Amino acid sequence: MSAAKRTASPAFGEDEIVALIRRLTGPPPKRLLTGIGDDAAVWQPSRSHRSLVTTDALIEGVHFPRELALRDAGFRAMAANVSDLAAMGARPVLATVALGLREGTTLDEIEQLYGGVVACANEARMAIAGGDLTRAPVLTVAITAIGEAAPARLKTRAGARPGDVVATTGELGNSRAGLDLMREPGSLSGDVAERAASAFARPQARWREGLFLAASRNVHAMMDCSDGLSTDLARLCEASGVSACIEAVPVGAAAAAMAARLGRDAEAYALAGGEDFELLVAIAPRAYAHLAARFRARFGRPLERVGVLREGSGVTWSRNGKEERIDRTGWDHFA
Amino acid sequence: MSAAKRTASPAFGEDEIVALIRRLTGPPPKRLLTGIGDDAAVWQPSRSHRSLVTTDALIEGVHFPRELALRDAGFRAMAANVSDLAAMGARPVLATVALGLREGTTLDEIEQLYGGVVACANEARMAIAGGDLTRAPVLTVAITAIGEAAPARLKTRAGARPGDVVATTGELGNSRAGLDLMREPGSLSGDVAERAASAFARPQARWREGLFLAASRNVHAMMDCSDGLSTDLARLCEASGVSACIEAVPVGAAAAAMAARLGRDAEAYALAGGEDFELLVAIAPRAYAHLAARFRARFGRPLERVGVLREGSGVTWSRNGKEERIDRTGWDHFA
């Protein structure tokens, strides 16, 4: 995730660990409809119901800078989980919270941290159903969120088809701009500084948008942009067995301002971003215009068209009349 | 939990934190049938089903000594969760695993740790349904386990009645003896050393026993003995609005040997223990003998009778012709 220092073992990355885990766990049993690798796992408590579960741990100094207000750290931790449910088209239902508290943590600090968790849960209309309390070397928040969906509305990363339009539910890069602003206070000012800070500190998980999009049979695949569009689109392509061509990057205003300030290309900055928690959606081409119009009417902002899917594999970026293959520039926590 | 050093803030304990969290989260919504405070939270995906969720984080140096084999640490982390489901009478279904890896962690270490998690999950016939991978200052395993139960078979801490017999599904104190043995290698030898070590390193969560007991309407309340009988029985009494009189403490052989070695009272040692993961059960008195006989026939060991419940509050211990009120001597992670 974005706040990570890029250090750690050079010998293997997240993919190698996931492969090891898949080998250890063996094939999923029949009742487990999707397992390791998608945004959330799905199981079937009864024929007409699907339950989903996802888990995310946030660790002080790794996922959030120590300077981040604890209330915001709690909010972000919950938002990451809600976003994983949103990405599958599920309605958030409840969450458990495991708190690790460092020595000397005060009740006031716990109230701030947990208050942020609850604020985000309330926005998503989900209940906190308990958890675990323990001491830890640094503040740790591990949240597991559970959601529910009707079987026909579940979306995975794997359903996208060649020809589909790829879109996002909003602009990208503002969260990364907020992280850079926190690292270098004063590097942005005015409205864009506000936007950057709030995109990073209180990201909005798109569960309403997820429910709306999941109701359409023309939405073939969804996931959330938690590790940067370049990385996440590559994952969607891999899961669906397609390739993608990016035609337009929806750059957020704060991202554009920060990229200008850093002397970097705004689109590349937004592409690498991460933790914007916008949903990445593959939509049948004939249905795109109508769905985008309904989306705008409902949410008051556009469904951002990013590009198209094709046969093949990999992700290309078309601009200035040239189409070039791009690498994953987002986050691998262990690379 | 047992391996914790007892340090941290003197101003407040776990109860104060839980009270704060209850205040922040507000009353549970209608669909959440039990929330914060029982072994697992229960919700209702459909009328005929109850789903349960529980979460537990284990942190190197806090919950397990660095000397513990990683495979055993993984096993224990999962066992704690399975035990919480067992305590409600639920069948384990699936789990998510959030791993925090310290810098320099090798793939081989991950394989050991995760291998232990999977070994315990396999014994409980549950699937690993994904999780989260992150860097952390020390090894961290946060597991969330989900189980299912028919509505009529759910047991909580709150159903015990005056007159009920209190029993456990096995002997107590062996896990604590294993921890003490690890701290002072060679302090036990032979068979009891083996028993102590395995009780601590690979505790057996009593999900089969939980399912068996949950099927009886004469079992009024259940919970697991994770923090020591003296603490956990006090919690059961508080939740049910009853008092308890302990008449016999089922002391494990390894606990008896370690208590002798330390020059301590064996029963007091076993009472304070913790992490034995035996179930603590309140049973209608007229049904006790028959249920205990069926339990022995099924599991090949006795249902251990501990004492009786009465009106009032608190826990007393009757021995040598005297009955004395006892304090909670188990673990509060923050006291």
Side-chain angles (χ1 to χ4, degrees), chain B:
Chain B
M1 294 191 177
S2 304
K5 270 191 309 180
R6 304 251 222 141
T7 53
S9 329
F12 58 94
E14 197 166 343
D15 288 346
E16 283 74 26
I17 305 176
V18 170
L20 167 67
I21 289 172
R22 278 184 206 271
R23 179 165 61 72
L24 289 170
T25 55
K30 221 170 106 191
R31 284 187 77 202
L32 199 61
L33 306 177
T34 77
I36 292 160
D38 220 306
D39 292 285
V42 182
W43 80 102
Q44 182 170 348
S46 68
R47 205 151 45 169
S48 60
H49 287 76
R50 298 292 179 272
S51 292
L52 294 89
V53 61
T54 181
T55 195
D56 258 302
L58 260 75
I59 294 175
E60 185 181 37
V62 177
H63 300 108
F64 58 92
R66 281 168 221 275
E67 312 87 68
L68 186 68
L70 288 177
R71 188 175 171 83
D72 293 336
F75 193 99
R76 274 166 58 83
M78 181 58 94
N81 281 281
V82 175
S83 181
D84 281 333
L85 295 177
M88 311 279 292
R91 180 180 297 283
V93 176
L94 59 86
T96 61
V97 181
L99 279 189
L101 303 175
R102 56 171 147 62
E103 196 140 336
T105 305
T106 64
L107 265 187
D108 189 54
E109 286 178 311
I110 301 171
E111 175 153 11
Q112 289 170 45
L113 183 68
Y114 215 97
V117 170
V118 169
C120 181
N122 286 347
E123 280 186 17
R125 301 190 189 163
M126 74 201 301
I128 307 286
D132 188 35
L133 283 170
T134 178
R135 291 188 306 106
V138 297
L139 278 177
T140 307
V141 193
I143 298 183
T144 298
I146 290 167
E148 284 172 9
R153 297 191 170 195
L154 261 183
K155 306 292 177 187
T156 70
R157 303 175 176 190
R161 304 172 200 173
D164 282 356
V165 172
V166 176
T168 64
T169 51
E171 296 171 340
L172 303 173
N174 287 345
S175 174
R176 178 57 188 272
L179 175 63
D180 287 340
L181 175 62
M182 184 168 288
R183 285 171 175 168
E184 210 180 318
S187 54
L188 293 180
S189 60
D191 180 53
V192 288
E194 289 264 312
R195 279 212 222 178
S198 91
F200 180 71
R202 290 175 300 283
Q204 298 300 305
R206 300 304 192 188
W207 63 275
R208 285 188 181 83
E209 290 81 351
L211 285 173
F212 172 85
L213 292 165
S216 167
R217 277 184 311 161
N218 294 308
V219 170
H220 293 156
M222 286 207 298
M223 67 181 293
D224 70 341
C225 277
S226 53
D227 289 339
L229 179 62
S230 60
T231 295
D232 292 323
L233 184 53
R235 288 181 178 143
L236 186 137
C237 285
E238 202 177 310
S240 292
V242 297
S243 69
C245 176
I246 298 172
E247 294 162 351
V249 180
V251 182
M258 183 59 82
R261 160 102 197 177
L262 297 172
R264 291 182 53 186
D265 181 283
E267 289 186 304
Y269 185 83
L271 264 181
E275 302 208 320
D276 289 301
F277 295 132
E278 297 298 343
L279 301 179
L280 181 62
V281 196
I283 302 164
R286 69 177 185 290
Y288 178 73
H290 181 61
L291 192 64
R294 285 178 53 226
F295 184 95
R296 184 190 274 275
R298 171 77 175 275
F299 298 107
R301 60 177 201 284
L303 191 61
E304 305 278 359
R305 185 187 169 108
V306 170
V308 292
L309 300 181
R310 302 171 177 163
E311 301 201 343
S313 65
V315 178
T316 59
W317 185 8
S318 166
R319 59 172 181 170
N320 309 327
K322 284 194 300 188
E323 187 174 332
E324 283 177 1
R325 185 164 283 266
I326 59 168
D327 289 330
R328 299 182 182 197
T329 54
W331 294 96
D332 179 337
H333 312 181
F334 298 95

Side-chain angles (χ1 to χ4, degrees), chain A residues 39 53-57 81 84 142-145, chain B residues 96-98 130-132 142 144:
Chain A
D39 292 284
V53 61
T54 180
T55 197
D56 257 303
N81 281 280
D84 280 333
I143 298 181
T144 299
Chain B
T96 61
V97 181
D132 188 35
T144 298

Side-chain angles (χ1 to χ4, degrees), chain A residues 245-267:
Chain A
C245 176
I246 297 172
E247 295 162 350
V249 180
V251 182
M258 183 58 84
R261 160 100 196 179
L262 298 172
R264 292 182 54 187
D265 181 283
E267 290 185 303

